[in-house]
Amino acid sequence: MTAQSAPQDTPLPDLSQQTDLSVGEILRRTRMHYNLSLDDVATFLRIRASQLQALEDGNIDQLLGRAYAIGYVRTYSE
């Protein structure tokens, strides 16, 4: 993955039947679907891998604050 292109050609996995998944689990499964490491995503998004790991694990208390958590989820999900 380069800074100019995100992997948008591969269709996303169908998660519509799995409504009990957390946001972090959806982010993790989508990342894994594209065979990306946390470091790959961190480099592309310019968000520390430890912060992305905290999002995926649901450890919101490890983030810098609510505003950061909301921004990170928005950026990561795009």
Side-chain angles (χ1 to χ4, degrees):
M1 178 165 69
T2 66
Q4 288 131 354
S5 66
Q8 298 176 3
D9 297 336
T10 306
L12 291 172
D14 181 16
L15 300 174
S16 63
Q17 300 301 317
Q18 302 176 15
T19 58
D20 60 339
L21 295 176
S22 68
V23 170
E25 186 60 27
I26 292 170
L27 292 172
R28 179 189 333 271
R29 287 182 183 205
T30 302
R31 175 178 58 79
M32 293 174 70
H33 171 78
Y34 289 113
N35 296 315
L36 298 172
S37 70
L38 274 174
D39 289 332
D40 293 334
V41 176
T43 300
F44 182 75
L45 297 179
R46 297 186 180 124
I47 299 173
R48 286 182 277 165
S50 62
Q51 299 292 296
L52 298 176
Q53 183 71 60
L55 278 177
E56 288 186 359
D57 293 343
N59 296 327
I60 305 305
D61 57 319
Q62 292 180 358
L63 300 175
L64 300 172
R66 181 182 171 162
Y68 282 95
I70 292 168
Y72 289 167
V73 168
R74 182 179 298 129
T75 300
Y76 196 174
S77 65
E78 289 175 356

